[in-house]
């Protein structure tokens, strides 16, 4: 209802829905959510011109000398905060000097999707958002009794956090997202909540809002929701597996083929070929932090498995590979983690997949082995980057992603990520002291 009312006039929507303030928001290159709080009385002007920001003050490749950055709200994205209904949230498109900002994550996803639509493809996605509920400072999980060696699906641990999980799920029900299950995940203190798949831009906007919502509701309960990929070294990290399919404008699933192997069409296998071809560069967006590489390529955790890939392979219904075909008509990319930018990850995935289709990239033979125990026997399979620096260098060399996502995005993102890596490298760790102090 909020979306329908907002399509033409946010001021009217505010009056009808009782909204007193709007959060006009955008996501920067590092996935941070930025916003201005605008009273409903001023929303008409903001809907036309946008809310002004200084781009350099956030993680965008800009300087203090650049002109004002304007976040122009997309009225169709309006979400009324269920836990604070006097506030409406809006995703925005970034504009500078009356032109769309080429490096802005939401703009990049929309542009990539338009390119796909020109070829007759509509991308639909669903995400599996894993997160930890910790104490307020994030130093330990919030539930001291959650200490089982194999805590996945632990009913008692789930119900001890019922009030938090229920409130988040109730919000999704109110918003009409179609949430269908919530569970305790493989690590102590870790949870996952699932809602229906949708058009990739809708899913991306909801992904952004879900992270904000989970954090806000956890704070209400004196807790912290963190999507950090690997907050605890001995526990399973938080992924954000992305399920994907391409559809026709008329609504037919183009990945589904009852005669295809595992029910996947030749188009779907071409898409997989593209993901395999660009996997190392993709990691710059699906695994965008220093911490990300403690989740992929990780040693075995307390529960017995990392549930994260370490090699560029695909399979059927087998969770030890980078790409899984869990059912007819869709594929699951298991690379992304909780830090993945909700817009850049699907944009890069779509760009790589389309390249695979257009260039008929062969994904190779499907592997059905347990990659955690027998992966060392596979010959010729590419390994994933060992760290963020390797991933950024792969991105810089990728003509596929540069061409599809644009040089402004690739160059700006790489520049800022190199700075992040250099800042990390200048950090002195306790490990270094423990191992080299007396050399």
């Amino acid at each position: 209802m909020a979306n329908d009312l907002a399509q033409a006039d946010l001021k009217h929507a505010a009056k009808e829905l009782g909204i007193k303030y709007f959060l006009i928001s955008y996501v920067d290159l590092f996935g941070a959510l930025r916003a201005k709080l605008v009273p409903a009385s001023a929303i008409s002007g903001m809907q036309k011109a946008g809310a002004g920001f200084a781009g350099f003050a956030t993680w965008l490749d800009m300087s203090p000398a650049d002109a004002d950055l304007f976040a122009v709200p997309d009225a169709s994205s309006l979400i009324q905060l269920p836990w604070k209904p006097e506030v409406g949230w809006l995703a925005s498109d970034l504009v500078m000097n009356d032109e769309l900002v080429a490096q802005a994550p939401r703009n990049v996803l929309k542009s990539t999707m338009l390119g796909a639509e020109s070829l007759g493809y509509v991308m639909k996605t669903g995400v599996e958002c894993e997160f930890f509920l910790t104490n307020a400072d994030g130093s330990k999980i919030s539930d001291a009794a959650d200490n089982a060696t194999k805590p996945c699906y632990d009913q008692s641990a789930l119900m001890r956090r019922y009030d938090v999980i229920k409130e988040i799920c109730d919000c999704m029900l109110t918003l009409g997202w179609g949430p269908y299950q919530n569970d305790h995940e493989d690590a102590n203190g870790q949870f996952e909540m699932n809602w229906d798949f949708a058009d990739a831009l809708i899913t991306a906007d909801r992904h952004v809002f879900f992270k904000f919502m989970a954090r806000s509701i956890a704070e209400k309960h004196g807790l912290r929701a963190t999507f950090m990929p690997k907050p605890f070294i001995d526990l399973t990290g938080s992924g954000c597996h992305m399920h994907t399919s391409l559809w026709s404008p008329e609504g037919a699933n183009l990945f589904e083929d009852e005669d295809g192997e595992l029910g996947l069409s030749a188009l779907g296998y071409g898409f997989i070929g593209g993901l395999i071809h660009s996997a190392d560069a993709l990691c710059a967006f699906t695994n965008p932090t220093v911490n990300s590489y403690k989740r992929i390529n990780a040693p075995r955790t307390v529960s017995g498995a990392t549930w994260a890939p370490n090699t560029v392979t695909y399979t059927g219904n087998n969770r030890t590979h980078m790409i899984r075909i869990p059912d007819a008509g869709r594929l699951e990319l298991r690379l992304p983690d909780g830090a993945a930018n909700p817009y850049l990850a699907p944009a890069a995935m779509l760009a790589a997949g389309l390249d695979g289709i257009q260039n008929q990239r062969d994904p190779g033979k499907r592997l059905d082995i347990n990659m955690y125990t027998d992966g060392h026997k596979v010959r010729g399979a590419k390994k994933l980057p060992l760290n963020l620096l390797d991933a950024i260098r792969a991105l810089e060399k990728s003509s596929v992603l540069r061409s599809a996502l644009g040089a402004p995005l690739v160059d700006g993102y790489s520049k800022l990520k190199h700075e992040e890596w250099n800042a990390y490298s200048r950090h002195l760790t306790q490990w270094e002291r423990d191992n080299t102090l007396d050399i």
Side-chain angles (χ1 to χ4, degrees):
M1 179 181 177
N3 301 82
D4 295 337
L5 285 170
Q7 288 287 345
D9 187 354
L10 287 172
K11 183 178 180 180
H12 173 70
K15 183 177 180 181
E16 291 295 314
L17 298 170
I19 294 174
K20 297 179 180 178
Y21 288 90
F22 290 91
L23 283 165
I24 298 181
S25 71
Y26 71 92
V27 170
D28 66 21
L29 290 174
F30 283 14
L33 184 58
R34 313 290 181 162
K36 283 196 171 179
L37 186 63
V38 175
S41 59
I43 196 61
S44 293
M46 295 290 183
Q47 185 171 4
K48 295 175 183 176
F53 294 80
F56 176 73
T58 69
W59 292 116
L60 293 168
D61 183 27
M62 295 180 178
S63 82
D66 282 320
D68 284 344
L69 178 72
F70 289 95
V72 180
D74 180 346
S76 69
S77 72
L78 176 63
I79 297 175
Q80 190 171 11
L81 275 57
W83 69 97
K84 200 180 292 290
E86 65 184 36
V87 179
W89 178 87
L90 291 157
S92 302
D93 299 322
L94 294 184
V95 173
M96 182 181 284
N97 295 323
D98 297 322
E99 294 184 356
L100 288 170
V101 175
Q103 64 176 286
R106 194 172 192 266
N107 293 350
V108 170
L109 176 57
K110 290 176 71 175
S111 175
T112 310
M113 290 178 67
L114 280 174
E117 288 167 15
S118 72
L119 300 172
Y121 306 134
V122 176
M123 185 189 195
K124 296 192 178 186
T125 58
V127 290
E128 299 178 10
C129 289
E130 296 174 344
F131 60 97
F132 281 85
L133 288 176
T134 72
N135 60 353
D137 68 6
S139 60
K140 58 185 178 181
I141 64 170
S142 63
D143 180 5
D146 187 354
N147 56 15
T149 301
K150 284 187 174 288
C152 203
Y153 314 124
D154 187 316
Q155 178 172 287
S156 295
L158 175 64
M159 291 307 291
R160 284 195 296 272
R161 288 292 169 260
Y162 173 78
D163 289 347
V164 181
I165 301 301
K166 174 188 179 296
E167 187 170 352
I168 298 171
C169 191
D170 283 349
C171 287
M172 290 193 283
L173 287 166
T174 298
L175 295 172
W177 290 9
Y180 56 89
Q181 63 184 9
N182 312 291
D183 69 74
H184 188 294
E185 268 298 319
D186 193 64
N188 307 108
Q190 187 184 49
F191 300 86
E192 179 184 310
M193 307 183 72
N194 304 122
W195 65 91
D196 286 344
F197 75 96
D199 173 277
L201 182 64
I202 292 174
T203 294
D205 286 340
R206 289 175 177 176
H207 185 183
V208 172
F209 187 82
F210 176 82
K211 293 176 76 172
F212 166 62
M213 176 167 62
R215 290 179 179 131
S216 299
I217 291 173
E219 286 177 6
K220 282 179 59 180
H221 293 265
L223 306 177
R224 185 175 196 157
T226 176
F227 296 83
M228 182 179 177
K230 189 82 167 179
F232 306 103
I233 197 63
D234 58 336
L235 300 180
T236 304
S238 289
C240 186
H241 307 148
M242 187 172 296
H243 294 256
T244 302
S245 50
L246 295 183
W247 295 62
S248 72
E250 294 75 31
N253 184 350
L254 301 177
F255 276 10
E256 190 165 6
D257 182 353
E258 62 181 19
D259 297 322
E261 189 173 305
L262 299 178
L264 195 69
S265 67
L267 194 82
Y269 281 104
F271 197 96
I272 290 175
L275 295 178
I276 288 174
H277 177 76
S278 296
D280 51 355
L282 267 178
C283 284
F285 297 114
T286 58
N287 310 93
T289 69
V290 169
N291 181 256
S292 294
Y293 297 84
K294 291 180 170 62
R295 171 183 166 265
I296 59 174
N297 303 312
R300 183 171 149 171
T301 60
V302 169
S303 71
T306 66
W307 302 104
N310 53 36
T311 309
V312 183
T313 55
Y314 80 100
T315 187
N317 200 352
N318 176 337
R319 290 178 170 85
T320 65
H321 294 253
M322 186 184 87
I323 298 168
R324 178 172 75 115
I325 304 171
D327 201 357
R330 64 186 166 103
L331 61 90
E332 175 193 43
L333 182 66
R334 296 179 62 80
L335 263 183
D337 61 43
N341 189 302
Y343 300 111
L344 295 182
M349 186 179 181
L350 178 58
L354 290 177
D355 168 72
I357 292 170
Q358 292 174 306
N359 290 288
Q360 298 181 323
R361 299 199 186 277
D362 183 1
K365 184 180 178 181
R366 187 184 86 238
L367 296 176
D368 294 323
I369 63 172
N370 182 338
M371 287 300 292
Y372 297 157
T373 58
D374 299 322
H376 63 283
K377 300 176 184 177
V378 178
R379 298 287 179 261
K382 294 192 297 183
K383 288 289 188 180
L384 293 170
L386 293 176
N387 54 53
L388 178 62
L389 180 62
D390 288 348
I392 295 302
R393 286 174 172 168
L395 172 62
E396 291 174 314
K397 293 177 182 176
S398 173
S399 59
V400 171
L401 296 189
R402 178 177 291 275
S403 174
L405 304 180
L409 180 276
V410 171
D411 290 340
Y413 184 83
S414 298
K415 173 187 169 183
L416 294 178
K417 283 296 175 179
H418 273 298
E419 292 174 1
E420 180 181 22
W421 176 263
N422 291 337
Y424 164 71
S425 298
R426 289 191 293 268
H427 177 67
L428 182 64
T429 66
Q430 188 59 42
W431 184 94
E432 293 170 90
R433 295 184 61 82
D434 292 343
N435 286 275
T436 57
L437 197 61
D438 293 322
I439 288 178

